[in-house]
Amino acid sequence: MDLYKKKTPNSKKFYDDSVKLFPGGISHNIRFFRPYPFFVNKARDKHLFDVDGNKYVDYWMGHWALILGHSPKVVVKKLDIQIPRGTLYGTANNISIKLGEIIKKSIPISELLRFCSTGSEATMYAIRIARAVTKKRIICKTIGGWHGFNTDLMQSVNYPFEIDEGVGMTGREGDFVESIPFNDLDRSIKLLDSVKDDLACIIIEPLLGGGGCIPADINYLKGLEEYCKRNDVLFILDEIVTGFRLNFGSVSSQYKLNPDMITLGKIVGGGLPIGVVCGKKEIMKVANPVENKNKEQLCYVGGGTFSSNPLTMTAGYSTLDYISKNRQTVYNKINKLGDIARNGLRKLFSDYGMKTQVTGIGSLFLTHFLSDKVNEITNANDVALSDYKMLAGYHFSLMAKYGIFFLPHKMGAISIVHDSKDVQRLINATEKIIKSGILNKRIKN
Ligand SMILES: Cc1ncc(COP(=O)(O)O)c(C=O)c1O
């Protein structure tokens, strides 16, 4: 902590200014960590640079969005051309067709799509469409599932999962949300049966991202999908993190799933704000304002002022176009580095007799410190019972002492500009941290 403070005096000054402007000094709750976050003034490739001249190898990578690294040349070049041609047309534009088509081609169920500006909007629209199409009201999500800050889905996100997620809601939103235990099909089905008659959809992340980097069991996803098909319930995959992260498109092809809708965000914006709701024609047509002339037929899916803006469309298209042409190299590289990181960290902690579990898939990974309360990580409840303070201490030490940045508590993402030396550096730094004994001192939360 002392070292961090010594290295970041300018960040401290900016933080003091920031708290006078923004609640908590930040514009996204998870970006705060003690004693104050460092302030970034430049980012390039795999590095963040702060206002004190410190350089960090970044594994947070813009909330896991930046698969090509910070400001990749292929995107910057196209944005340089687009910016003088207009940043926000507020009208139909043909760049959106290019991005729409490349998504549609790689995700077969995305027969129709709507662009918006955040993932939170995309999930809000997806469940609204599900309610409109099924004429039912209840939304099912998993305990610990994170779908953004839209009010409907602010249920069972944080431990203890059964109480309201903060104040400012009516307290009745939960009447229309059923939360099921992640990766536990039998108990999930019992809960689903109890609300079946009014159940509009299940929305689920194929990898619990914010909830702790835990891949869903394929049979769990298949079981939920089958339940949906049997009971006239829509199955929605929230792939805002996993879309184009694990392969070129959706996990649905890899896992042989057939969801009704998919939500996308992050990677498909190429570093600019985006959300996408896509799905089968029969479902998405309810959002067509040209065909559905009256309010009894139309489901309002707005998109918003900045939807389909030419900058996001350009950045998103150039990102996906680049990955599409180099897909073999891109996914081989980042998935392999993910394996090396997970296996290397596992071996290291085990060599030192530390009880940890390194979770993740592809290029995403997170270390959990097991405790006397939890022996295995299979869901968000297990994550909440693990030694969170030790994880904070680990991430903080990586950042302060070794210039390796994970947003404290959050999973890391590998981009194509990371290499095996970075992963080895992470493993070496982890070993030094273990040896220093600092993890046992913990960071005060
Ligand atoms: C799975 C998932 N869905 C939705 C969202 C919300 O996206 P956004 O932050 O762009 O609103 C996130 C954000 O991290 C997410 O991880």
Side-chain angles (χ1 to χ4, degrees), residues 28 64 118-121 123 146-148 205 238 240-241 266 274:
H28 191 316
W64 319 306
T118 67
S120 305
E121 273 180 273
T123 57
W146 173 243
H147 305 284
E205 300 161 87
D238 181 354
I240 285 165
V241 171
K266 303 204 191 261
I274 198 164

Side-chain angles (χ1 to χ4, degrees), residues 26-268:
I26 23 84
S27 290
H28 191 316
N29 294 1
I30 59 176
R31 291 184 190 160
F32 175 79
F33 51 83
R34 286 187 196 285
Y36 48 82
F38 60 85
F39 279 60
V40 170
N41 62 5
K42 198 172 105 181
R44 200 67 216 273
D45 298 331
K46 61 192 168 199
H47 290 119
L48 290 174
F49 300 85
D50 75 12
V51 288
D52 290 285
N54 299 304
K55 179 173 161 185
Y56 305 84
V57 175
D58 187 12
Y59 285 92
W60 175 226
M61 277 289 155
H63 297 233
W64 319 306
L66 302 171
I67 195 168
L68 301 185
H70 291 278
S71 292
K73 278 200 189 79
V74 280
V75 175
V76 172
K77 232 166 56 192
K78 296 288 180 189
L79 286 176
D80 277 347
I81 298 168
Q82 182 55 43
I83 290 169
R85 295 172 66 96
T87 58
L88 177 63
Y89 298 148
T91 64
N93 67 70
N94 56 352
I95 320 169
S96 60
I97 298 178
K98 288 167 86 175
L99 181 57
E101 277 177 347
I102 199 165
I103 294 174
K104 182 170 172 165
K105 224 166 112 192
S106 43
I107 303 183
I109 72 108
S110 60
E111 293 168 358
L112 286 175
L113 315 83
R114 182 58 72 90
F115 289 124
C116 49
S117 298
T118 67
S120 305
E121 273 180 273
T123 57
M124 172 181 78
Y125 291 136
I127 61 173
R128 186 180 298 165
I129 291 172
R131 283 173 167 153
V133 169
T134 60
K135 302 198 169 32
K136 297 191 274 186
R137 297 177 297 177
I138 295 179
I139 303 304
C140 166
K141 72 179 284 292
T142 58
I143 296 171
W146 173 243
H147 305 284
F149 268 113
N150 83 65
T151 307
D152 277 321
L153 286 160
M154 282 294 291
Q155 299 288 326
S156 63
V157 175
N158 296 297
Y159 183 84
F161 302 99
E162 62 275 4
I163 64 169
D164 279 349
E165 294 293 330
V167 290
M169 296 201 279
T170 63
R172 302 302 301 268
E173 289 85 357
D175 294 356
F176 298 106
V177 178
E178 184 65 38
S179 297
I180 54 173
F182 189 73
N183 274 344
D184 185 338
L185 189 59
D186 291 344
R187 278 177 57 218
S188 294
I189 287 190
K190 275 194 195 110
L191 287 164
L192 291 171
D193 274 342
S194 69
V195 292
K196 187 163 71 180
D197 294 341
D198 202 13
L199 186 59
C201 67
I202 298 178
I203 181 164
I204 182 165
E205 300 161 87
L207 164 111
L208 211 55
C213 193
I214 307 168
D217 198 73
I218 299 180
N219 288 328
Y220 180 63
L221 293 173
K222 285 198 163 109
L224 293 180
E225 180 178 293
E226 272 164 33
Y227 186 91
C228 288
K229 306 286 177 230
R230 274 202 312 275
N231 293 291
D232 187 27
V233 172
L234 299 191
F235 186 56
I236 305 171
L237 283 184
D238 181 354
E239 295 221 53
I240 285 165
V241 171
T242 54
F244 296 90
R245 164 60 65 186
L246 304 177
N247 59 18
F248 194 71
S250 148
V251 300
S252 55
S253 359
Q254 209 172 324
Y255 293 180
K256 305 215 168 6
L257 294 167
N258 183 21
D260 299 290
M261 274 187 276
I262 287 177
T263 50
L264 299 169
K266 303 204 191 261
I267 288 177
V268 298

Side-chain angles (χ1 to χ4, degrees), residues 245-431:
R245 164 60 65 186
L246 304 177
N247 59 18
F248 194 71
S250 148
V251 300
S252 55
S253 359
Q254 209 172 324
Y255 293 180
K256 305 215 168 6
L257 294 167
N258 183 21
D260 299 290
M261 274 187 276
I262 287 177
T263 50
L264 299 169
K266 303 204 191 261
I267 288 177
V268 298
L272 273 77
I274 198 164
V276 193
V277 49
C278 39
K280 294 179 180 165
K281 210 177 192 160
E282 271 313 293
I283 291 161
M284 294 296 291
K285 69 180 187 188
V286 74
N288 179 339
V290 184
E291 299 287 325
N292 300 306
K293 298 235 162 42
N294 58 48
K295 286 192 185 177
E296 284 80 51
Q297 293 165 321
L298 178 64
C299 174
Y300 284 101
V301 174
T305 301
F306 296 98
S307 58
S308 252
N309 74 74
L311 291 191
T312 298
M313 297 296 106
T314 300
Y317 176 71
S318 28
T319 298
L320 295 194
D321 183 50
Y322 176 85
I323 307 176
S324 160
K325 291 175 180 148
N326 299 279
R327 61 182 83 180
Q328 197 99 356
T329 330
V330 168
Y331 294 107
N332 278 351
K333 175 174 183 182
I334 62 172
N335 293 343
K336 190 166 162 216
L337 287 177
D339 280 339
I340 296 173
R342 278 184 297 274
N343 292 334
L345 291 169
R346 273 177 201 139
K347 178 168 181 324
L348 181 67
F349 283 115
S350 143
D351 286 351
Y352 281 87
M354 292 185 72
K355 277 174 62 188
T356 60
Q357 189 174 330
V358 185
T359 58
I361 186 171
S363 49
L364 301 168
F365 64 105
L366 178 63
T367 300
H368 302 272
F369 293 87
L370 303 173
S371 67
D372 44 7
K373 294 188 203 126
V374 65
N375 241 329
E376 196 191 355
I377 304 288
T378 56
N379 57 41
N381 198 58
D382 299 334
V383 175
L385 297 178
S386 67
D387 197 331
Y388 236 49
K389 286 192 177 161
M390 200 181 278
L391 177 57
Y394 169 49
H395 281 166
F396 193 87
S397 303
L398 283 174
M399 171 180 68
K401 192 139 192 227
Y402 299 98
I404 297 174
F405 182 60
F406 287 75
L407 190 73
H409 294 134
K410 295 294 173 191
M411 67 182 177
I414 290 168
S415 75
I416 63 155
V417 288
H418 289 90
D419 57 31
S420 51
K421 284 197 200 114
D422 294 314
V423 175
Q424 196 50 54
R425 235 186 103 200
L426 167 66
I427 294 169
N428 294 345
T430 303
E431 180 163 22

